[in-house]
Amino acid sequence: MNHDDTNSLTRRDFIRAGAAGATGLALTGLGGLTASAQDSPAIGKLPRRRYGRTGLDISCLVGAADWSPDVIPLAVQSGVNYWHKAHHWNANNFPPAIKAQPRESYHLECVVDRVGGDNKTGYIDEEQHYQFVKKCVANSGVGYYDVFKFHFGYHSVDEFKSAQGQGIVRAYNRLKNEGLVKHLCISQHHYNDIQGQMAYDILPTLIDDSPFEAAQFFHTYGDQKPISDIIDYAKKGNFGVIAMKTMGGVGRAAQDTRIQTMLAEPRFAGATPASAMVKWLMSNPNITAAVIATKSFAQLQENFTAAQAPKMAANDREALGLLAAFNKGTTCLLCSDCVSQCPEHIAIADIMRYERYALDYSELPRARAEYAALTKNGTACIACGDCLPSCNADINIVSKLKDIHHLLS
């Protein structure tokens, strides 16, 4: 089947495909399929894990407000009970499949961003964050949010400890006292491009000496050791972990005819890079859950079926090895090590992340919008090559920045 066959698919075709067929459909990189949760094949229930100090038992794959509305009923049916960025829903567009459940049976997250700029130029303001969440609660009619999450996180440990940095905690405490939120979590990025710190340098302080109860951060196959160490350290401190940006290169591999031909070989035996990545994530008991972009029934079924597998098999490891080889020299792992070597302080990892949105998630408009908002884009590269030795993925960063600029401009 090629991409041009997409329009000929019907609900009956999807249902007839079953579990094996759904995996095949997902590999073609299709968008949303015209089907309903009622018509779709059963997937089964996702396992749940304890989300650190929150004490919440959440599905090992979490949902997100930017998922296709079509897949949400089936996700609910399959046990998804935690919803990332739920503040995007209001009383008019709140998914009926979620709302039909008892309120205590599902967990909603309200994400709070800096004000007066983006995650690098904006600032923390207690009163504005407090009012934002109050407004979201009122507009949504959900009564409360289970999780108040500081989006993108702190620039450094010093910022967290500062009076302004503590404005996040103060806003949370006020909201908690009013019964509008219950738990405090964070989504932590790297900030070495603005002379801040790496996520793995900030997180130990949050784990050891803060009211934060869990964190979400980048993690994928082939990641650098400090990230794996932080995951282990978080578990020892009863600190929850949600992995994000896990599927680097998967969307591109799904469109690559060479990869698809190789996946037909007996040694892969039906395994795919996407399903193998999910199994790899779930094989680590120190990871609470993963959030993975899901736009079609095929993607949902592939990811959810993989999450229920008892363990990785040899064919899964082969598929992950194939993806790693495919990614070498092309797909950034978002480690951000190169940024520290750049004399121009270009946000290289962010630019590479926007490329993922365009090529792996088929979100070109979003990628272009985020790229356009940068104060310094890929054209600032002076081709000095200082960044190249630091790239564990062997990417020609100088050339890649030019390609991405052409793609996103």
Side-chain angles (χ1 to χ4, degrees):
M1 178 184 295
N2 59 44
H3 192 70
D4 293 334
D5 295 324
T6 303
N7 293 333
S8 66
L9 286 169
T10 66
R11 297 184 185 185
R12 187 178 299 275
D13 293 327
F14 179 79
I15 298 167
R16 187 185 300 121
T23 298
L25 298 179
L27 286 172
T28 63
L30 301 179
L33 300 176
T34 54
S36 68
Q38 184 177 357
D39 293 333
S40 301
I43 294 177
K45 292 289 187 180
L46 288 171
R48 293 183 178 177
R49 295 181 178 182
R50 183 62 56 91
Y51 192 28
R53 298 169 193 163
T54 70
L56 302 175
D57 289 321
I58 69 172
S59 47
C60 65
L61 294 182
V62 304
D66 57 2
W67 279 15
S68 167
D70 293 335
V71 307
I72 289 177
L74 185 57
V76 171
Q77 178 183 319
S78 301
V80 172
N81 70 336
Y82 185 98
W83 295 94
H84 178 46
K85 296 184 178 180
H87 66 283
H88 287 306
W89 292 324
N90 56 44
N92 295 321
N93 67 4
F94 197 90
I98 301 175
K99 196 172 185 178
Q101 304 174 95
R103 178 62 185 88
E104 66 277 6
S105 69
Y106 58 88
H107 311 302
L108 303 177
E109 174 193 284
C110 183
V111 166
V112 179
D113 288 285
R114 292 170 184 263
V115 299
D118 60 20
N119 61 304
K120 296 176 183 178
T121 62
Y123 58 93
I124 295 167
D125 185 282
E126 174 190 342
E127 185 62 25
Q128 290 193 58
H129 299 324
Y130 168 77
Q131 294 296 343
F132 171 77
V133 176
K134 283 198 73 169
K135 183 178 180 181
C136 288
V137 172
N139 289 344
S140 66
V142 298
Y144 62 91
Y145 289 103
D146 300 85
V147 171
F148 173 113
K149 179 171 282 183
F150 180 29
H151 199 204
F152 291 105
Y154 291 104
H155 295 166
S156 65
V157 171
D158 285 344
E159 185 187 36
F160 159 67
K161 292 180 177 180
S162 71
Q164 187 180 72
Q166 285 294 300
I168 284 288
V169 178
R170 292 193 299 270
Y172 160 74
N173 284 333
R174 290 169 64 186
L175 292 161
K176 183 178 181 181
N177 288 338
E178 295 179 26
L180 300 180
V181 298
K182 292 188 174 184
H183 302 286
L184 179 63
C185 300
I186 193 167
S187 175
Q188 185 62 57
H189 286 221
H190 302 304
Y191 286 105
N192 53 338
D193 61 314
I194 57 170
Q195 289 73 59
Q197 291 179 286
M198 305 291 274
Y200 50 75
D201 291 323
I202 299 169
L203 286 166
T205 297
L206 302 184
I207 294 168
D208 291 341
D209 189 26
S210 88
F212 287 93
E213 301 167 81
Q216 181 172 307
F217 48 87
F218 300 158
H219 183 50
T220 191
Y221 184 73
D223 222 336
Q224 52 189 341
K225 188 174 184 295
I227 292 294
S228 298
D229 290 344
I230 280 294
I231 292 172
D232 295 343
Y233 189 69
K235 182 66 173 182
K236 292 177 182 177
N238 190 28
F239 193 83
V241 169
I242 292 180
M244 65 177 176
K245 303 296 183 288
T246 62
M247 303 297 248
V250 169
R252 276 166 273 191
Q255 301 296 324
D256 190 281
T257 55
R258 298 166 302 166
I259 297 294
Q260 299 312 305
T261 299
M262 293 181 69
L263 285 170
E265 296 177 9
R267 64 191 172 111
F268 297 107
T272 70
S275 64
M277 184 70 80
V278 173
K279 290 181 183 180
W280 175 77
L281 289 165
M282 296 299 100
S283 69
N284 187 344
N286 296 340
I287 295 174
T288 308
V291 56
I292 300 171
T294 303
K295 297 185 177 181
S296 71
F297 288 100
Q299 291 173 347
L300 182 117
Q301 182 156 24
E302 180 175 34
N303 294 339
F304 282 32
T305 300
Q308 296 171 65
K311 61 180 180 179
M312 293 186 70
N315 59 340
D316 299 312
R317 300 185 190 282
E318 291 278 4
L320 271 184
L322 180 63
L323 178 65
F326 174 79
N327 283 341
K328 202 72 170 176
T330 63
T331 305
C332 177
L333 298 178
L334 306 181
C335 72
S336 204
D337 284 348
C338 58
V339 177
S340 299
Q341 308 305 317
C342 177
E344 299 300 313
H345 305 295
I346 300 170
I348 300 170
D350 285 341
I351 294 172
M352 299 285 188
R353 176 161 54 91
Y354 304 153
E355 182 196 40
R356 278 199 190 185
Y357 295 158
L359 300 183
D360 287 328
Y361 306 160
S362 300
E363 295 181 352
L364 183 58
R366 175 191 178 188
R368 284 179 168 165
E370 301 225 23
Y371 185 72
L374 290 172
T375 55
K376 185 180 289 189
N377 64 29
T379 61
C381 175
I382 60 175
C384 67
D386 288 357
C387 59
L388 299 179
S390 65
C391 183
N392 294 322
D394 293 339
I395 295 172
N396 184 332
I397 298 171
V398 174
S399 176
K400 173 70 84 170
L401 289 176
K402 292 180 181 178
D403 292 343
I404 297 176
H405 181 75
H406 178 73
L407 173 68
L408 302 185
S409 297

